[in-house]
Amino acid sequence: ASFTISLHKADNTTATIKLRPGLQANCRIRMKYVIMSELKIKPGDNVTFTFTCGTPEKYFITEIQKNIDCVSGPCPFGDVHLYPPGLPRLNRTYIWDVKASTKAGLELKFSTSWLRQIEPGETCPDAVSYNINSSIDNATVSIGTFCRNGSVSRIKLLGGVVMSLHLPWHLPLTTSGFNIASRASIKRLCIIESVLNRESSITLMSPNYPLGFPEDELMTWQFVIPPNLRASVFFHNYSLSNCERKEERVEYYIPGSPSNPEVFKLSDSQPANIAGTFNMSLQGCDQDAQNPGILRLLFQVVVQHPQVDENVTHLVDLSKEKNMTVTIHVEGWPSRTPLMSEPICLICKDPRTCDRALTLTSGAVYRISFLCKDLSQLRITAEKGIGCMDIRWCQKKIYSLSVPKAITRLPIRLHKFIWKLLATDMINVEITSPSLKLQQHVPEQRCNTSYSYSIVSATPETELNVGVFCPGGSIEKIQMRNNITISLKTFGKGFINESIPQDLKMSFVPHIKDECIFTVSPNPKAKVYLQTPNSPFGLPPYVSISWFITVPSKQTARLKFSKDRMGIACETGRAFVNIKEETPGAEEIVRREDELLPQPRNMLHSFWVNVSNCRPVDKTQLTLQFWVTLADKQLDLGIILAVVAGAGVLTVIGLTVCCVKKKKKKTQNPMVGVYNDNVNTQMPGRKGSFRKGRQNNESHVYAVIDDAVVYGHLLKESNGSVSPEVDVYRPFDGPIGSMPPSPPPFSFRKDIKRSSNPEEEPLPLMDIDQDNYTFAHQKSGQSEDSGDANKKDKGDTSVPLLENKEWDGSVE
């Protein structure tokens, strides 16, 4: 097919058909007998040509430029048409270069399809785009690149303008979509008007973005908004130049404001909740010639209906708090910035100061409100610092690590509360949970509560992730060295209800030798899993961790490691696992990294487990896990047999006593055994303390005395009105044996008075010879005073308690 293009000389239009950049000339232009790769048609030319291929749109583009001089002659104001007609179906670029005086202004007014500004490098969905440049004294400034279907209705410029329209080959567009009008001087670089008739969000950029805004220039954006809507401005990306004079700033003219214009720095939070139309201006400065810097700005304007509860304020009283910040923000902040098309959620600390993130500091009272249709999009992140530089001032103080009610009362979900605990090298931190206790989150024992605590111990050299913990476990106390960060993180809406019994406490304590010490009181009804910190990355080199597991006296604990070996090889030093019960003389179990870990074992008393690391070789990490269960103590068979045997012995003794009493009833003067508690029954603790010799020591003697002789005279004197005296010793002068006596059992010594002489303080029972006591028998009719005769008798002193004759008689 052939094409004919005729250009009138008065139109001052030039058309050029040329190859797409970067393509080879696989298709050519043929004009009569001439083959060419580029055709330029000048004003007054009439040209007919064809292409040597059937798909020239793949290889060629058309550029049409019209020059308009409004300085030396009248301007052709009005609608701008696409000229000339009859162009081949190629990608087309129309350029209008309008020269104008800086004493006047030009206005580009767009028809029904208003424009939307896009960032450099971005493309329009329909491939139709406008490039607008301002031309002043041969200097060109890019106002921006725009697509169709937006809110920009007019652009006013100072001086000339270079306007480009890019059309795809397949779109049969016949109108440019804008007209040009003359206006009075605007005394600034440009004015961009944007009409926002409904809820929407637009993005705009300063001229030359992302390059610098011209030095000491001024431009204005005018936003036309119905009075029933509210607008908010957000700066997303900006930079400042180095100013020698003046100051870069943003000025707002808001109808009805008592302080027009309102001046803001680019770093300030910009106005929000603006009712109706307003103007915003960007003012540059005189830049440093040696280091000018760049002034640029990308911002967003969001228009929405007034919120139903925008006049509802919420009191946040932080006046009694110290070193605390509270940030209310959209979900995902700050790593995720909401898309500009997403419904906006604003937090306001006054009717005009709103933002997507608002930070409140301690020591003040705030009244905040929300411009948000769905408050579930918002979250709270808070941080509090607690420090101790002198243990004398903070050792006895207990700090409550609970979320303040000022936060929990807000209709916003708490995302995270962080406590940063700072202390000097010789001061450590102790965390307790007296009532709820803590559970360590491990794969075999996962937390299923609505919140958890993440605990990290940090120094300038290393960081130790102590673990993740939740309420409802067996860990009563954790002692840690260095600076500690505790992060409470929530996982659901139930936190507000569960937070009522929060009982996590913190105090500063003197220096501890281990990196971390856990105190654990296992739940009798559950298996308690415990794991070394910093899992799965392993303990840092040379770190020592201890657990103290308390075992009730009537229970026994079962301890088992989850694997047979530590699983590391040491480059320097040794790694150890130590286990020791908290009881005198307990054996300490020690295993090195090259040895098998202890087999499952029962612990009868509270015990310690310590894990100490070496410097492992590459690619090996020390991570250990063990579990503890409690069970009631079981008596073993030997103890049971001993108890049964003891009961049998007691039964025999009981029968013997009964027989003796039966025999004594036949006599007028029955006899009783009285224990002498006034003599030293202990082994001498020191030389010289036990002064009597073996022959004259009376400590082993029980005297058998007639009851009537012992108590009869008292009964007679009292006539039955006074209780008889008991535990009375009467001297016995019988023969004495050669072996020292053994002390009576503990059950028989409860009421024995201790010696008042400190030199006669008895030694522990375990050091006393276990000899039997002997009993001297008083013959019938023998006087209590016959001791002199017995002193001479050095015969057998082991006279049985009952003679065979008496035993036989009592059996009968």
Side-chain angles (χ1 to χ4, degrees), residues 604-725:
L604 302 179
H605 306 87
S606 299
F607 61 97
W608 288 91
V609 176
N610 174 266
V611 177
S612 302
N613 198 12
C614 59
R615 178 178 291 280
V617 299
D618 292 340
K619 299 182 180 180
T620 61
Q621 303 292 342
L622 177 55
T623 300
L624 281 183
Q625 185 188 96
F626 60 92
W627 54 258
V628 178
T629 56
L630 291 181
D632 292 336
K633 283 184 178 177
Q634 301 294 330
L635 293 175
D636 90 350
L637 185 61
I639 296 175
I640 294 173
L641 292 176
V643 170
V644 171
V649 172
L650 291 176
T651 303
V652 172
I653 293 174
L655 291 173
T656 303
V657 171
C658 290
C659 293
V660 170
K661 287 185 177 181
K662 184 177 179 181
K663 180 70 176 177
K664 287 182 178 180
K665 286 180 181 178
K666 297 179 182 180
T667 65
Q668 291 294 327
N669 299 317
M671 296 179 291
V672 296
V674 180
Y675 175 68
N676 181 2
D677 65 337
N678 292 321
V679 297
N680 187 356
T681 62
Q682 302 290 337
M683 180 181 294
R686 204 164 45 238
K687 184 176 180 180
S689 296
F690 204 86
R691 295 181 176 84
K692 291 187 178 183
R694 184 65 186 139
Q695 294 290 328
N696 54 12
N697 188 354
E698 301 171 341
S699 62
H700 64 296
V701 178
Y702 273 98
V704 180
I705 311 169
D706 290 346
D707 291 358
V709 175
V710 178
Y711 302 113
H713 66 287
L714 295 175
L715 292 173
K716 291 177 182 179
E717 291 175 3
S718 62
N719 296 323
S721 62
V722 180
S723 300
E725 185 179 358

Side-chain angles (χ1 to χ4, degrees), residues 294-348:
I294 293 177
L295 170 61
R296 61 185 170 192
L297 172 64
L298 182 147
F299 67 98
Q300 179 187 15
V301 177
V302 178
V303 176
Q304 59 189 7
H305 286 288
Q307 301 302 307
V308 176
D309 58 349
E310 70 174 41
N311 294 324
V312 177
T313 58
H314 301 269
L315 182 68
V316 183
D317 187 356
L318 304 179
S319 58
K320 296 181 180 179
E321 299 291 343
K322 295 180 180 179
N323 302 322
M324 187 169 79
T325 60
V326 178
T327 301
I328 305 172
H329 54 86
V330 293
E331 187 175 9
W333 174 91
S335 57
R336 177 187 175 272
T337 302
L339 298 175
M340 296 183 184
S341 58
E342 292 183 16
I344 195 163
C345 237
L346 300 179
I347 308 100
C348 307

Side-chain angles (χ1 to χ4, degrees), residues 392-422:
R392 294 174 299 175
W393 298 105
C394 42
Q395 182 175 4
K396 296 182 180 180
K397 189 171 183 180
I398 298 176
Y399 301 85
S400 175
L401 301 186
S402 58
V403 180
K405 292 182 179 179
I407 294 176
T408 58
R409 287 172 179 167
L410 290 173
I412 309 299
R413 176 178 156 187
L414 176 67
H415 170 61
K416 187 181 289 186
F417 198 107
I418 302 170
W419 290 273
K420 291 192 173 180
L421 315 177
L422 307 176

Side-chain angles (χ1 to χ4, degrees), residues 361-624:
T361 57
S362 55
V365 178
Y366 302 89
R367 294 184 179 275
I368 63 173
S369 59
F370 303 101
L371 296 179
C372 188
K373 291 182 179 179
D374 184 9
L375 292 180
S376 66
Q377 300 179 40
L378 297 179
R379 297 288 184 270
I380 297 175
T381 298
E383 183 176 305
K384 183 178 179 67
I386 303 174
C388 179
M389 298 299 109
D390 189 338
I391 192 66
R392 294 174 299 175
W393 298 105
C394 42
Q395 182 175 4
K396 296 182 180 180
K397 189 171 183 180
I398 298 176
Y399 301 85
S400 175
L401 301 186
S402 58
V403 180
K405 292 182 179 179
I407 294 176
T408 58
R409 287 172 179 167
L410 290 173
I412 309 299
R413 176 178 156 187
L414 176 67
H415 170 61
K416 187 181 289 186
F417 198 107
I418 302 170
W419 290 273
K420 291 192 173 180
L421 315 177
L422 307 176
T424 58
D425 291 341
M426 298 306 294
I427 302 175
N428 300 141
V429 171
E430 179 178 286
I431 301 169
T432 60
S433 181
S435 58
L436 294 179
K437 300 183 183 178
L438 296 177
Q439 169 189 315
Q440 187 173 12
H441 178 81
V442 295
E444 295 79 6
Q445 183 179 261
R446 296 182 178 274
C447 291
N448 57 4
T449 55
S450 65
Y451 67 97
S452 67
Y453 298 100
S454 174
I455 303 176
V456 176
S457 170
T459 63
E461 297 80 19
T462 184
E463 182 174 288
L464 179 67
N465 185 0
V466 178
V468 175
F469 304 86
C470 56
S474 300
I475 300 174
E476 290 184 341
K477 180 169 61 178
I478 306 175
Q479 292 176 304
M480 293 165 287
R481 294 167 56 183
N482 309 320
N483 296 327
I484 309 299
T485 299
I486 302 175
S487 301
L488 182 152
K489 187 175 182 181
T490 65
F491 301 101
K493 297 180 180 179
F495 168 73
I496 295 177
N497 296 328
E498 292 187 22
S499 65
I500 297 173
Q502 281 186 74
D503 73 334
L504 200 64
K505 311 289 183 185
M506 188 279 298
S507 58
F508 293 102
V509 295
H511 185 72
I512 60 174
K513 67 170 185 176
D514 290 329
E515 204 72 29
C516 189
I517 300 175
F518 298 84
T519 299
V520 184
S521 294
N523 186 342
K525 300 180 180 179
K527 184 182 291 187
V528 179
Y529 288 89
L530 299 168
Q531 185 169 279
T532 52
N534 229 43
S535 179
F537 306 107
L539 281 179
Y542 309 120
V543 166
S544 177
I545 307 294
S546 293
W547 294 263
F548 179 68
I549 292 93
T550 60
V551 181
S553 58
K554 296 182 179 180
Q555 291 182 312
T556 181
R558 181 76 170 172
L559 169 67
K560 184 180 186 301
F561 288 89
S562 60
K563 55 185 181 181
D564 296 332
R565 293 181 178 272
M566 296 189 206
I568 64 168
C570 290
E571 181 179 326
T572 57
R574 287 287 195 178
F576 293 95
V577 171
N578 298 59
I579 304 170
K580 186 176 182 181
E581 286 187 301
E582 188 84 349
T583 184
E587 176 189 2
E588 184 172 6
I589 302 167
V590 182
R591 295 291 187 273
R592 291 196 313 252
E593 80 282 353
D594 56 352
E595 297 175 327
L596 290 172
L597 290 172
Q599 293 296 315
R601 58 193 301 110
N602 294 329
M603 313 298 288
L604 302 179
H605 306 87
S606 299
F607 61 97
W608 288 91
V609 176
N610 174 266
V611 177
S612 302
N613 198 12
C614 59
R615 178 178 291 280
V617 299
D618 292 340
K619 299 182 180 180
T620 61
Q621 303 292 342
L622 177 55
T623 300
L624 281 183

